[in-house]
Amino acid sequence: MKYRIIIIIILMAFLSPGCTTQKNIREGYEWSDFFWRNEEDASKPRILFIGNSIVRQFYNDICPILEKEGFNCDRYSSSRSIVDPALYRETKIAMAKYDHTVIYFNNGLHGWHLNVEQYGKGLRKYVKFLKSQKAKNAILVFALTTPYPSNKPGEKMAPRNLEVLNRNGIARKIMKEYDIPVIDLYGLVEPELDKYSKSKGDVHYNQKGIELMSDYISNKMVKLFEEHNKSSK
């Protein structure tokens, strides 16, 4: 009888939804990097940029703009999908010792094994995570995912761009639920995508595109910071 009880307990442990594990699917190679600018300067408010290679592209251009406005800038860029447990661990590393004043975040150009429902569930969970950490007092700002262009002549967007649009749609709904401002990078670059793309079919941007995003994002973030300060007085 004792052994039967032990076997039942073990089976319940394996079958319990809270104890089951789901395989974490990753890309052929994964990458993450961090950058803390003016690391020892605690006299100014800090902005943390969380995203993928798009964030890594514009970071060096946007930092001098925001530094003139009185901010220091940090960066966590990665290929992690929105459901990867490593995303959470690495976000904690990116927050480091700072209480960031503003956190800009995006996740959308990786994790293509996820359908839109899974992506939405993961994004909502990540927002809750940010709000429960040191970021709970920060101004959160979400950026819509940029377009996925086609490399075929005469075709502007790749079929995968439909997934980008679906992800952006559900992201807008989630951010509205949490009253998080949205920066529309998709709408910014899409009308003249050929002008700003690094090359045909490349999801990355040339210097004109980088400067466009840097100016646009910095203006939006400074305004949000000023509005937040006015409303909190």
Side-chain angles (χ1 to χ4, degrees):
M1 182 66 179
K2 180 176 70 174
Y3 297 109
R4 188 178 298 172
I5 292 171
I6 292 172
I7 291 170
I8 291 171
I9 291 172
I10 292 171
L11 284 172
M12 287 177 66
F14 277 107
L15 296 174
S16 171
C19 298
T20 56
T21 57
Q22 184 177 358
K23 184 180 179 182
N24 183 42
I25 299 174
R26 288 180 171 158
E27 298 176 356
Y29 63 90
E30 294 276 349
W31 59 269
S32 296
D33 61 27
F34 306 82
F35 202 96
W36 295 273
R37 196 169 168 116
N38 301 319
E39 201 270 345
E40 290 300 324
D41 184 5
S43 65
K44 299 174 183 176
R46 300 190 79 88
I47 297 174
L48 173 61
F49 289 93
I50 299 174
N52 48 40
S53 53
I54 305 302
V55 160
R56 188 164 59 177
Q57 269 201 297
F58 69 64
Y59 179 74
N60 286 335
D61 283 74
I62 200 171
C63 285
I65 299 172
L66 289 169
E67 284 170 359
K68 289 179 182 178
E69 298 290 338
F71 297 94
N72 282 321
C73 300
D74 303 326
R75 184 195 79 210
Y76 163 43
S77 46
S78 176
S79 62
R80 305 296 188 190
S81 80
I82 196 63
V83 300
D84 193 329
L87 177 68
Y88 292 80
R89 295 192 296 269
E90 292 172 355
T91 299
K92 288 182 179 181
I93 294 172
M95 290 176 177
K97 63 183 181 183
Y98 304 110
D99 292 317
H100 288 93
T101 303
V102 184
I103 295 181
Y104 164 110
F105 68 109
N106 164 266
N107 189 295
L109 279 179
H110 293 275
W112 296 113
H113 60 285
L114 303 171
N115 60 38
V116 68
E117 289 80 14
Q118 292 168 325
Y119 171 81
K121 184 178 178 181
L123 183 59
R124 183 176 279 105
K125 182 179 177 182
Y126 188 63
V127 169
K128 290 180 180 178
F129 165 78
L130 288 177
K131 293 176 78 68
S132 70
Q133 299 296 310
K134 293 170 70 176
K136 61 186 177 183
N137 296 319
I139 303 168
L140 297 180
V141 183
F142 183 79
L144 295 185
T145 299
T146 48
Y148 205 105
S150 173
N151 59 3
K152 296 180 180 179
E155 185 177 82
K156 185 175 183 179
M157 297 297 183
R160 181 161 280 174
N161 192 65
L162 180 59
E163 295 180 61
V164 171
L165 292 172
N166 289 336
R167 288 183 173 193
N168 282 344
I170 198 164
R172 280 188 182 276
K173 292 179 182 177
I174 293 169
M175 300 311 142
K176 187 175 181 180
E177 289 175 21
Y178 289 94
D179 197 27
I180 295 174
V182 170
I183 295 179
D184 186 3
L185 289 188
Y186 185 98
L188 177 69
V189 299
E190 188 276 335
E192 297 184 276
L193 192 57
D194 289 343
K195 177 181 177 181
Y196 298 120
S197 291
K198 196 170 184 180
S199 61
K200 177 68 175 170
D202 197 332
V203 297
H204 302 102
Y205 295 87
N206 58 29
Q207 189 58 36
K208 287 183 179 178
I210 292 168
E211 290 173 0
L212 176 74
M213 286 189 282
S214 297
D215 289 339
Y216 185 76
I217 295 168
S218 58
N219 285 334
K220 288 282 187 181
M221 296 186 81
V222 169
K223 287 179 181 178
L224 285 169
F225 179 74
E226 290 173 348
E227 289 170 2
H228 177 79
N229 280 351
K230 286 179 183 178
S231 63
S232 62
K233 288 180 179 179

